[in-house]
């Protein structure tokens, strides 16, 4: 599904953030990138949807080089959830969720149905929440909407960069459960960045430990627990 072949990233200031990475992420896999701050996790993630252009090597999605995709299609077809809650403050919850479907020119009725279906999926009553503004929601609810926005146009791949690290422990647990259920039910391919090993062990089908832009170890949670 997603394949890194000898991928390196050097920033203009000379920092070598990722060094000759080889990696294959399977379709439907919950893949966790873990490692200390500065180990290259975010850079690796952002190269998948070309928020960061790679310096050397290739990334392929379904066999096709990402440089051969239309960049807008690539961005729209890959869901992306950030650490900072990044909802548009002046837009309603429904409008926030519908950003990509709007870009793709879905008709109004289809968008409305989709928004309501998504809100229901995470236990937010559409009648109550659809027309609210982000500031009228708790942090946990806002981040849940951030996840729904990434899912709205039904992408195969979702990238998540420490999506829950700003949340209180209770909201964090709840959102982890939501995302696990979504991934298992909808068979999404998720690439998830964290520096929290408990979170990685709970969520990951496989965990990839990075250090100084290189892979130290890749394996199942079981392998990490038995061979730390
Ligand atoms: P992580 O996500 O594991 O914290 P990053 O991928 O953000 O690590 O960063 C890897 C390395 O690349 C770090 O040394 C970081 O300072 C550096 N880096 C990240 N983004 C840039 C940039 N835009 N310009 C220069 N260096 C960067
Ligand atoms: P994260 O919390 O995901 O590790 P960072 O705080 O490292 O993110 O980086 C936030 C933003 O700043 C990113 O867009 C990253 O590319 C950029 N950045 C990170 N390190 C550097 C750096 N050394 N020089 C310039 N930009 C950087």
């Amino acid at each position: 599904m997603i394949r890194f072949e000898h991928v390196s990233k050097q920033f203009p200031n000379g920092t070598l953030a990722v060094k000759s990475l080889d990696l294959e992420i399977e379709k439907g896999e919950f893949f966790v990138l873990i490692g200390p701050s500065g180990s290259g996790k975010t850079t690796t993630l952002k190269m998948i949807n070309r928020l960061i252009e790679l310096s050397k090597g290739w990334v392929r999605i379904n066999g096709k080089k990402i440089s051969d995709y239309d960049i807008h299609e690539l961005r729209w077809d890959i869901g992306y959830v950030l650490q900072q809650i990044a909802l548009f403050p002046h837009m309603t919850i429904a409008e926030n969720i519908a950003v990509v479907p709007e870009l793709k020119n879905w008709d109004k009725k289809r968008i409305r149905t989709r928004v309501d279906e998504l809100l229901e999926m995470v236990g937010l009553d559409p009648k109550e929440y659809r027309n609210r503004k982000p500031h009228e929601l708790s942090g946990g609810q806002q981040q849940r909407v951030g996840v729904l926005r990434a899912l709205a146009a039904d992408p195969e791949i979702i990238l998540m960069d420490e999506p829950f690290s700003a949340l209180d422990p209770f909201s964090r647990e709840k959102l982890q459960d939501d995302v696990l259920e979504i991934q298992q039910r909808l068979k999404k391919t998720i690439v998830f960045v964290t520096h929290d090993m408990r979170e990685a062990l709970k969520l990951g089908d496989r965990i990839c430990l990075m250090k100084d832009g290189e892979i130290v170890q890749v394996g199942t949670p079981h392998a990490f627990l038995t061979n730390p």
Side-chain angles (χ1 to χ4, degrees):
M1 171 108 243
I2 307 171
R3 196 185 163 100
F4 285 77
E5 299 170 355
H6 317 307
V7 173
S8 297
K9 174 64 191 182
Q10 182 158 33
F11 286 103
N13 69 356
T15 305
L16 202 51
V18 171
K19 302 170 189 164
S20 198
L21 200 73
D22 286 297
L23 187 62
E24 189 151 5
I25 299 170
E26 308 289 339
K27 188 172 163 57
E29 187 169 37
F30 203 126
F31 193 87
V32 177
L33 290 168
I34 192 167
S37 186
S39 57
K41 307 181 295 293
T42 296
T43 303
T44 301
L45 192 78
K46 286 183 175 171
M47 287 192 290
I48 297 172
N49 63 355
R50 292 179 60 191
L51 284 175
I52 292 179
E53 295 288 353
L54 47 87
S55 312
K56 280 193 190 150
W58 300 269
V59 175
R60 292 176 192 274
I61 295 179
N62 292 325
K64 184 168 151 183
K65 286 185 208 159
I66 53 171
S67 51
D68 291 340
Y69 284 88
D70 176 84
I71 192 152
H72 301 290
E73 297 289 335
L74 189 76
R75 299 258 171 87
W76 298 350
D77 288 341
I78 299 178
Y80 184 51
V81 186
L82 294 141
Q83 174 179 8
Q84 307 86 349
I85 293 165
L87 301 179
F88 298 109
H90 57 286
M91 286 166 42
T92 66
I93 297 308
E95 288 164 347
N96 267 287
I97 294 174
V99 167
V100 175
E102 288 281 359
L103 287 167
K104 291 183 165 232
N105 284 317
W106 288 20
D107 69 59
K108 292 263 172 290
K109 186 149 175 277
R110 184 174 175 208
I111 289 178
R112 167 77 173 236
T113 309
R114 180 65 178 153
V115 166
D116 287 1
E117 171 189 275
L118 287 163
L119 286 169
E120 269 163 16
M121 194 165 77
V122 297
L124 294 172
D125 180 6
K127 283 196 285 300
E128 191 176 336
Y129 286 97
R130 198 195 280 135
N131 296 317
R132 288 201 195 184
K133 294 285 174 64
H135 71 88
E136 297 172 292
L137 272 62
S138 73
Q141 288 173 331
Q142 289 184 41
Q143 195 56 308
R144 197 165 301 161
V145 171
V147 173
L148 298 183
R149 179 168 63 186
L151 287 169
D154 205 24
E156 276 187 78
I157 298 171
I158 302 164
L159 310 179
M160 298 189 163
D161 195 349
E162 301 197 32
F164 311 140
S165 57
L167 300 176
D168 65 89
F170 181 79
S171 304
R172 174 185 262 236
E173 286 274 324
K174 176 78 180 79
L175 272 153
Q176 288 170 345
D177 293 342
D178 281 350
V179 165
L180 259 188
E181 199 201 314
I182 286 165
Q183 191 261 349
Q184 283 163 5
R185 190 144 56 96
L186 307 178
K187 308 267 184 287
K188 299 297 182 191
T189 305
I190 298 186
V191 189
F192 190 104
V193 167
T194 185
H195 53 243
D196 176 355
M197 187 49 102
R198 266 194 62 209
E199 185 167 69
L201 292 169
K202 173 174 173 176
L203 298 176
D205 292 318
R206 278 193 303 156
I207 298 169
C208 175
L209 174 63
M210 294 186 71
K211 186 166 180 283
D212 298 332
E214 294 180 304
I215 295 174
V216 179
Q217 188 183 348
V218 190
T220 61
H222 181 75
F224 269 80
L225 285 171
T226 51
N227 183 22

